Amino acid sequence: MNRIRALVQRRLPAHAWHGGGGAKMGALRRHPLASSTAPFSTHSAAAMSRLELQPGGPHSRLVCLGDCHGDKSAFERQLQVAQVIDAEGNWCGGSDVLVQIGDVLDRGVGELHILLRLADLTKQAAAAGGRVIQLMGNHELMNYCADWRYVSGPWGDGFAPFADYLTPALDEKAPGWRELPALAQLPHEHQARAAAFDVRVPCLVDEIRPLRMGRQVAVIVGDTLCVHGGLAMPHLDFVGGFDALNEEAEEWVETGGDGSGRAPPLLEHPNGPLWMRIFSNPSDTALPHAPSGSVGARQLLYEVLAATGCSRMVVGHTPQDLVNRASIKVGRGGANGGAQTHEQSFIKEPTDLEEGEFAPVDGGEVWRIDTGASSGIASGAIEALEVRAGGVVSVLRQSAPLSADSREALPPRR
């Protein structure tokens, strides 16, 4: 393991990779203004860390959606192409597992719509035996840490929707909320968004709870590991295991940690699971070999897949243009870097694609699904990654609106 640490810990303080387990968070605590009821229920991160995927089992299909960055139109089209909503926008995925890979927030003004849709679909899916899991991306982390750099821009004012949505409830149910230390010095129009996301501010009203669903770092569904940036063994060593990774993150979002607003060290580190790009920036379809004296991405990948019992890793975070290229060009893109096509088909399988259009990374052991779909990034391809029980992987691609019975009308999968 010392060999593997060499690459990942280059920019991480030495203490972060020693001692194991990480610092434990303080006991759960409730602010006197916090809501005492919680009608919106979520599963604990620990309970959602691993889900089985098997024919005839409770779940037989996994679908992963890439970064959508506040673009509600792109998000709705992702849901359509994933075949989990019908023509009326309701859950039709049955027992499917839907994983949103993180980065719902920032760079667009449709964030509130997306978050509330995810909350509603979570309930609908649970009633049908399915699951919806929103992972934490680096932009969720930034908002939890009151980093508003990407909230407003050419795409519009990202503070206003939350002010309109939350202010009436906060004024009625939590009078005096604007005077909380984390909010008092902010511009008046910024305070509602801060109340929604800043972990130093407890969930003052029930309307805030569904806005903080992105609190899980990684999930394993069947033999597929999903994480926003990437995962390596030093991450798991540091926190004490895969479940502990999610437990620490969830507890921090829930309690605010030590009250400073700082995230657990692993979450905010540039080589941590929300930020690392080592699995997204190689030069071709194979992950890079190790330079002399260090450990390369392939070794890091194989080590963590073996340790978690997985066959593949799905990541977002880095918009893809062509296979294994990190810089996206407007008008092109695709899951795993495949160039977008315009055929009248909802599905593209690796065996169907033109040579050079699509190539699995390291034989399908890494799947990069951030296609820059948001208009705040590149208005890239609308795609989803599907994994069936048994390991059949497909890229689902939009070419036309889905009808309510379109799932049965799609071309058969090999």
Side-chain angles (χ1 to χ4, degrees):
M1 189 54 61
N2 289 334
R3 295 181 297 107
I4 296 172
R5 296 178 186 213
L7 181 65
V8 179
Q9 73 177 25
R10 282 182 303 177
R11 297 172 61 192
L12 192 63
H15 70 269
W17 300 110
H18 299 286
K24 295 297 182 183
M25 310 298 290
L28 290 174
R29 48 193 171 82
R30 180 177 296 277
H31 191 278
L33 288 179
S35 170
S36 60
T37 60
F40 178 78
S41 175
T42 60
H43 299 275
S44 72
M48 297 177 69
S49 290
R50 300 169 188 266
L51 294 172
E52 294 298 322
L53 198 69
Q54 57 190 14
H59 308 290
S60 60
R61 179 177 182 260
L62 163 68
V63 189
C64 302
L65 305 183
D67 310 33
C68 58
H69 280 299
D71 189 328
K72 63 182 181 181
S73 175
F75 175 69
E76 292 295 334
R77 287 181 288 148
Q78 286 179 328
L79 293 173
Q80 286 184 329
V81 80
Q83 307 161 37
V84 294
I85 61 170
D86 61 23
E88 287 71 46
N90 295 314
W91 179 262
C92 70
S95 63
D96 290 351
V97 178
L98 177 69
V99 174
Q100 198 284 325
I101 206 71
D103 276 10
V104 165
L105 297 181
D106 292 340
R107 299 185 183 274
V109 296
E111 305 153 294
L112 182 61
H113 170 94
I114 298 169
L115 292 170
L116 295 179
R117 279 286 276 151
L118 282 167
D120 185 50
L121 289 172
T122 297
K123 298 176 183 178
Q124 291 187 35
R131 301 293 283 270
V132 173
I133 301 169
Q134 180 194 348
L135 295 181
M136 184 189 298
N138 61 302
H139 282 266
E140 279 72 42
L141 179 76
M142 292 168 69
N143 278 263
Y144 295 154
C145 294
D147 183 342
W148 316 121
R149 283 177 290 171
Y150 298 97
V151 171
S152 296
W155 49 84
D157 178 5
F159 291 99
F162 293 90
D164 293 342
Y165 174 68
L166 286 177
T167 298
L170 287 167
D171 287 345
E172 177 185 353
K173 302 174 186 177
W177 65 278
R178 294 185 186 275
E179 303 307 315
L180 290 174
L183 305 178
Q185 302 304 313
L186 294 176
H188 192 271
E189 62 272 18
H190 292 187
Q191 289 176 322
R193 185 183 181 104
F197 297 116
D198 189 338
V199 297
R200 294 173 297 174
V201 182
C203 288
L204 299 174
V205 294
D206 295 329
E207 287 82 354
I208 290 174
R209 296 187 181 278
L211 309 183
R212 298 190 187 183
M213 283 176 57
R215 55 176 61 191
Q216 182 169 348
V217 177
V219 66
I220 295 172
V221 183
D223 62 347
T224 301
L225 168 60
C226 304
V227 61
H228 184 69
L231 197 65
M233 285 307 299
H235 302 151
L236 303 185
D237 287 346
F238 177 49
V239 296
F242 188 82
D243 291 337
L245 176 70
N246 285 326
E247 290 167 358
E248 181 178 61
E250 182 177 38
E251 190 171 359
W252 172 69
V253 174
E254 182 69 24
T255 69
D258 62 7
S260 69
R262 291 292 302 271
L266 185 61
L267 297 187
E268 65 180 3
H269 193 271
N271 283 331
L274 304 184
W275 299 89
M276 69 185 304
R277 299 185 192 270
I278 192 170
F279 302 127
S280 298
N281 286 338
S283 59
D284 54 27
T285 59
L287 294 174
H289 291 280
S292 177
S294 66
V295 175
R298 179 180 286 110
Q299 183 66 23
L300 290 169
L301 172 68
Y302 292 172
E303 289 279 354
V304 76
L305 290 181
T308 55
C310 291
S311 299
R312 67 195 63 83
M313 183 187 298
V314 178
V315 298
H317 187 43
T318 303
Q320 298 292 300
D321 174 15
L322 300 174
V323 173
N324 294 329
R325 285 181 57 179
S327 59
I328 194 165
K329 298 176 182 177
V330 175
R332 302 189 69 187
N336 225 39
Q340 185 177 9
T341 65
H342 302 281
E343 298 179 19
Q344 292 300 306
S345 173
F346 291 105
I347 187 167
K348 280 287 190 177
E349 307 230 12
T351 55
D352 295 336
L353 298 170
E354 299 292 332
E355 183 177 357
E357 180 189 357
F358 172 96
V361 180
D362 266 32
E365 289 165 325
V366 175
W367 296 85
R368 307 173 187 138
I369 64 170
D370 180 1
T371 64
S374 170
S375 59
I377 299 293
S379 298
I382 300 298
E383 294 185 336
L385 188 73
E386 175 191 79
V387 183
R388 292 270 177 172
V392 177
V393 181
S394 303
V395 178
L396 308 181
R397 180 165 297 170
Q398 185 184 53
S399 60
L402 289 171
S403 64
D405 59 353
S406 60
R407 299 187 71 209
E408 290 70 34
L410 292 175
R413 295 172 176 80
R414 294 178 177 83

